[in-house]
Coordinates of all heavy atoms in Angstrom, one line a residue:
D1 N 163.7 -70.1 -81.7 CA 164.1 -68.9 -80.8 C 164.3 -69.4 -79.4 O 163.6 -70.4 -79.0 CB 163.0 -67.8 -80.9 CG 163.5 -66.5 -80.2 OD1 164.2 -65.8 -80.9 OD2 163.1 -66.3 -79.1
G2 N 165.0 -68.6 -78.6 CA 165.3 -69.0 -77.3 C 164.3 -68.6 -76.3 O 164.3 -68.9 -75.1
C3 N 163.2 -67.9 -76.7 CA 162.2 -67.4 -75.8 C 161.4 -68.5 -75.1 O 160.9 -68.3 -74.0 CB 161.2 -66.4 -76.4 SG 160.1 -67.2 -77.7
L4 N 161.3 -69.7 -75.7 CA 160.5 -70.8 -75.2 C 161.3 -71.7 -74.3 O 160.9 -72.0 -73.1 CB 159.9 -71.6 -76.4 CG 159.0 -70.8 -77.3 CD1 158.8 -71.6 -78.5 CD2 157.7 -70.7 -76.6
S5 N 162.5 -72.1 -74.7 CA 163.3 -73.0 -73.9 C 164.4 -72.3 -73.1 O 164.9 -72.9 -72.1 CB 164.0 -74.0 -74.8 OG 165.0 -73.4 -75.6
G6 N 164.7 -71.1 -73.4 CA 165.7 -70.3 -72.8 C 167.1 -70.5 -73.4 O 168.0 -69.9 -73.1
I7 N 167.1 -71.4 -74.4 CA 168.4 -71.7 -75.1 C 168.1 -71.6 -76.6 O 167.4 -72.3 -77.2 CB 168.9 -73.1 -74.8 CG1 169.0 -73.3 -73.3 CG2 170.2 -73.4 -75.6 CD1 169.3 -74.7 -72.9
P8 N 168.7 -70.6 -77.3 CA 168.5 -70.4 -78.7 C 168.8 -71.7 -79.5 O 169.9 -72.3 -79.2 CB 169.5 -69.2 -79.1 CG 169.6 -68.5 -77.8 CD 169.6 -69.5 -76.7
G9 N 167.9 -72.0 -80.4 CA 168.1 -73.2 -81.2 C 167.6 -74.5 -80.6 O 167.6 -75.5 -81.3
Q10 N 167.1 -74.4 -79.4 CA 166.6 -75.7 -78.7 C 165.1 -75.7 -78.6 O 164.5 -74.7 -78.3 CB 167.3 -75.8 -77.3 CG 166.8 -77.0 -76.6 CD 167.6 -77.2 -75.3 OE1 168.8 -77.2 -75.3 NE2 166.8 -77.3 -74.1
S11 N 164.5 -76.8 -78.9 CA 163.1 -77.0 -78.9 C 162.6 -77.0 -77.4 O 163.3 -77.4 -76.5 CB 162.7 -78.3 -79.5 OG 161.4 -78.7 -79.2
P12 N 161.4 -76.4 -77.2 CA 160.8 -76.4 -75.9 C 160.1 -77.8 -75.6 O 159.5 -77.9 -74.5 CB 159.8 -75.3 -75.9 CG 159.4 -75.3 -77.4 CD 160.6 -75.6 -78.2
G13 N 160.0 -78.7 -76.6 CA 159.4 -79.9 -76.4 C 158.0 -80.0 -76.9 O 157.3 -81.0 -76.8
Y14 N 157.5 -78.9 -77.5 CA 156.2 -78.9 -78.1 C 156.1 -77.8 -79.1 O 157.0 -76.9 -79.2 CB 155.1 -78.7 -77.0 CG 155.0 -77.3 -76.5 CD1 154.0 -76.4 -76.9 CD2 155.9 -76.8 -75.5 CE1 153.9 -75.1 -76.4 CE2 155.8 -75.5 -75.0 CZ 154.8 -74.7 -75.5 OH 154.7 -73.4 -75.0
D15 N 155.1 -77.8 -80.0 CA 154.9 -76.8 -81.0 C 154.1 -75.7 -80.5 O 152.9 -75.8 -80.4 CB 154.2 -77.5 -82.2 CG 154.2 -76.6 -83.5 OD1 154.2 -75.4 -83.3 OD2 154.1 -77.1 -84.6
A16 N 154.7 -74.6 -80.2 CA 154.0 -73.5 -79.5 C 153.0 -72.8 -80.5 O 152.0 -72.4 -80.0 CB 155.1 -72.4 -79.0
L17 N 153.3 -72.8 -81.8 CA 152.4 -72.1 -82.6 C 151.1 -73.0 -82.8 O 150.0 -72.4 -82.8 CB 153.0 -72.0 -84.1 CG 152.1 -71.3 -85.1 CD1 151.6 -69.9 -84.6 CD2 152.8 -71.2 -86.4
K18 N 151.3 -74.3 -82.9 CA 150.1 -75.1 -83.0 C 149.2 -75.0 -81.8 O 148.0 -75.0 -81.8 CB 150.4 -76.6 -83.3 CG 149.2 -77.5 -83.5 CD 149.6 -78.9 -83.6 CE 148.4 -79.8 -84.0 NZ 147.2 -79.6 -83.0
F19 N 149.9 -75.0 -80.6 CA 149.1 -74.9 -79.4 C 148.4 -73.5 -79.3 O 147.2 -73.5 -79.0 CB 150.1 -74.9 -78.2 CG 149.4 -74.8 -76.8 CD1 148.8 -75.9 -76.3 CD2 149.4 -73.6 -76.1 CE1 148.2 -75.8 -75.0 CE2 148.8 -73.5 -74.9 CZ 148.1 -74.6 -74.4
A20 N 149.0 -72.5 -79.8 CA 148.3 -71.1 -79.8 C 147.2 -71.1 -80.7 O 146.1 -70.5 -80.4 CB 149.4 -70.1 -80.1
V21 N 147.4 -71.7 -81.9 CA 146.3 -71.7 -82.9 C 145.1 -72.5 -82.3 O 143.9 -72.0 -82.4 CB 146.8 -72.4 -84.2 CG1 145.6 -72.7 -85.1 CG2 147.8 -71.5 -84.9
D22 N 145.3 -73.6 -81.7 CA 144.2 -74.4 -81.2 C 143.5 -73.6 -80.1 O 142.3 -73.7 -80.0 CB 144.7 -75.7 -80.7 CG 145.2 -76.7 -81.7 OD1 144.8 -76.5 -82.9 OD2 145.9 -77.7 -81.4
Q23 N 144.3 -73.0 -79.2 CA 143.7 -72.3 -78.1 C 142.9 -71.1 -78.5 O 141.9 -70.7 -77.9 CB 144.7 -72.0 -77.0 CG 145.4 -73.2 -76.4 CD 144.3 -74.0 -75.6 OE1 143.5 -73.5 -74.9 NE2 144.4 -75.3 -75.8
C24 N 143.4 -70.3 -79.5 CA 142.7 -69.2 -80.0 C 141.4 -69.6 -80.6 O 140.3 -69.0 -80.4 CB 143.6 -68.4 -81.0 SG 144.9 -67.4 -80.2
H25 N 141.4 -70.6 -81.5 CA 140.2 -71.1 -82.1 C 139.2 -71.7 -81.1 O 138.0 -71.5 -81.3 CB 140.6 -72.1 -83.2 CG 141.2 -71.5 -84.4 ND1 141.7 -72.3 -85.4 CD2 141.4 -70.3 -84.8 CE1 142.2 -71.5 -86.3 NE2 142.0 -70.3 -86.0
K26 N 139.7 -72.3 -80.1 CA 138.8 -72.8 -79.0 C 138.0 -71.6 -78.4 O 136.8 -71.8 -78.0 CB 139.6 -73.5 -78.0 CG 138.8 -74.0 -76.8 CD 139.7 -74.7 -75.8 CE 139.0 -75.2 -74.6 NZ 140.0 -75.8 -73.6
R27 N 138.6 -70.4 -78.4 CA 137.9 -69.3 -77.8 C 137.3 -68.4 -78.8 O 136.9 -67.3 -78.5 CB 139.0 -68.4 -77.0 CG 139.4 -69.2 -75.8 CD 140.8 -68.6 -75.3 NE 141.2 -69.3 -74.0 CZ 141.7 -70.5 -73.9 NH1 142.0 -71.2 -75.0 NH2 142.1 -71.0 -72.8
G28 N 137.2 -68.8 -80.1 CA 136.5 -68.1 -81.1 C 137.3 -66.9 -81.6 O 136.7 -66.0 -82.2
M29 N 138.6 -66.9 -81.4 CA 139.5 -65.8 -81.9 C 140.2 -66.2 -83.1 O 140.7 -67.4 -83.2 CB 140.4 -65.4 -80.8 CG 139.7 -64.8 -79.6 SD 140.8 -64.1 -78.3 CE 141.5 -65.6 -77.6
E30 N 140.4 -65.3 -84.0 CA 141.4 -65.5 -85.1 C 142.8 -65.3 -84.6 O 143.1 -64.6 -83.7 CB 141.1 -64.6 -86.3 CG 139.8 -64.8 -87.0 CD 139.8 -64.1 -88.4 OE1 140.8 -63.4 -88.7 OE2 138.9 -64.4 -89.2
I31 N 143.7 -66.0 -85.3 CA 145.1 -65.9 -84.9 C 145.9 -65.7 -86.2 O 145.7 -66.5 -87.2 CB 145.7 -67.1 -84.1 CG1 147.2 -66.9 -83.8 CG2 145.4 -68.4 -84.8 CD1 147.8 -67.9 -82.8
Q32 N 146.8 -64.7 -86.3 CA 147.6 -64.5 -87.4 C 149.1 -64.7 -87.0 O 149.4 -64.2 -85.9 CB 147.4 -63.1 -88.0 CG 146.0 -62.8 -88.5 CD 145.9 -61.5 -89.3 OE1 146.9 -61.0 -89.9 NE2 144.8 -60.9 -89.4
A33 N 149.8 -65.3 -87.9 CA 151.3 -65.5 -87.6 C 152.0 -64.3 -87.9 O 152.1 -63.9 -89.1 CB 151.8 -66.7 -88.4
W34 N 152.5 -63.6 -86.9 CA 153.3 -62.4 -87.0 C 154.7 -62.7 -87.4 O 155.4 -63.3 -86.7 CB 153.1 -61.6 -85.7 CG 154.1 -60.5 -85.4 CD1 155.0 -59.9 -86.3 CD2 154.2 -59.8 -84.2 NE1 155.6 -58.9 -85.6 CE2 155.1 -58.8 -84.3 CE3 153.6 -59.9 -82.9 CZ2 155.5 -57.9 -83.3 CZ3 153.9 -59.1 -81.9 CH2 154.9 -58.1 -82.1
V35 N 155.1 -62.3 -88.6 CA 156.4 -62.6 -89.2 C 157.2 -61.3 -89.3 O 156.9 -60.4 -90.1 CB 156.2 -63.2 -90.6 CG1 157.6 -63.4 -91.3 CG2 155.5 -64.5 -90.5
V36 N 158.3 -61.2 -88.5 CA 159.2 -60.0 -88.6 C 160.1 -60.3 -89.8 O 160.7 -61.3 -89.8 CB 160.0 -59.9 -87.3 CG1 160.9 -58.7 -87.4 CG2 159.1 -59.7 -86.1
T37 N 160.0 -59.4 -90.8 CA 160.6 -59.6 -92.0 C 162.1 -59.3 -92.1 O 163.0 -60.1 -92.2 CB 159.9 -58.9 -93.1 OG1 159.8 -57.5 -92.9 CG2 158.5 -59.5 -93.3
M38 N 162.5 -58.0 -92.1 CA 163.8 -57.6 -92.4 C 164.8 -57.8 -91.3 O 165.9 -58.3 -91.5 CB 163.9 -56.1 -92.9 CG 163.0 -55.8 -94.1 SD 163.4 -56.9 -95.5 CE 162.0 -56.7 -96.5
P39 N 164.6 -57.4 -90.1 CA 165.5 -57.6 -89.0 C 165.7 -59.1 -88.7 O 164.8 -59.8 -88.5 CB 164.9 -56.9 -87.8 CG 163.8 -56.0 -88.4 CD 163.3 -56.7 -89.6
V40 N 167.0 -59.5 -88.5 CA 167.3 -60.9 -88.2 C 168.2 -61.0 -87.0 O 168.8 -62.0 -86.7 CB 167.9 -61.6 -89.4 CG1 166.9 -61.8 -90.5 CG2 169.1 -61.0 -89.9
G41 N 168.2 -59.9 -86.2 CA 168.9 -60.0 -84.9 C 170.3 -59.7 -84.9 O 170.9 -59.1 -85.8
K42 N 170.9 -59.9 -83.7 CA 172.3 -59.6 -83.5 C 173.2 -60.3 -84.6 O 172.9 -61.5 -84.9 CB 172.8 -60.0 -82.1 CG 172.1 -59.3 -81.0 CD 172.4 -57.8 -81.1 CE 171.7 -57.0 -79.9 NZ 171.9 -55.6 -80.0
W43 N 174.2 -59.7 -85.0 CA 175.0 -60.2 -86.1 C 175.6 -61.6 -85.8 O 175.6 -62.5 -86.7 CB 176.2 -59.2 -86.4 CG 177.0 -59.6 -87.6 CD1 178.3 -60.1 -87.7 CD2 176.6 -59.4 -89.0 NE1 178.7 -60.3 -89.0 CE2 177.6 -59.9 -89.8 CE3 175.4 -59.0 -89.6 CZ2 177.5 -59.9 -91.2 CZ3 175.3 -59.0 -91.0 CH2 176.4 -59.4 -91.8
D44 N 175.9 -61.8 -84.6 CA 176.4 -63.2 -84.2 C 175.4 -64.0 -83.5 O 175.7 -65.1 -83.0 CB 177.7 -63.0 -83.3 CG 178.9 -62.5 -84.1 OD1 179.0 -62.8 -85.3 OD2 179.6 -61.6 -83.5
G45 N 174.1 -63.6 -83.5 CA 173.1 -64.4 -82.9 C 172.8 -65.6 -83.8 O 173.1 -65.6 -85.0
V46 N 172.1 -66.5 -83.2 CA 171.8 -67.8 -83.9 C 171.1 -67.6 -85.2 O 171.4 -68.2 -86.2 CB 171.2 -68.8 -83.0 CG1 169.8 -68.4 -82.5 CG2 171.1 -70.2 -83.7
G47 N 170.0 -66.7 -85.2 CA 169.2 -66.5 -86.4 C 170.0 -65.9 -87.5 O 170.0 -66.4 -88.7

């Protein structure tokens, strides 16, 4: 997604989910991966 790098389809240079998992667990919090199922965005969007 483009929310990390600002460019859809481009990596931000690190794994944001792994970073979030590690940081949540470091603080004693559970983390669930939120998966938006049916909507896949604008018809001509990259996704």
Side-chain angles (χ1 to χ4, degrees):
D1 189 80
C3 68
L4 297 164
S5 69
I7 302 173
Q10 180 171 306
S11 168
Y14 74 103
D15 187 333
L17 179 58
K18 184 181 187 308
F19 181 80
V21 169
D22 291 343
Q23 293 301 317
C24 284
H25 286 174
K26 179 181 177 182
R27 291 162 176 80
M29 297 187 287
E30 288 197 358
I31 179 171
Q32 298 192 26
W34 166 7
V35 175
V36 180
T37 57
M38 301 306 164
V40 292
K42 298 297 182 183
W43 188 252
D44 291 323
V46 63

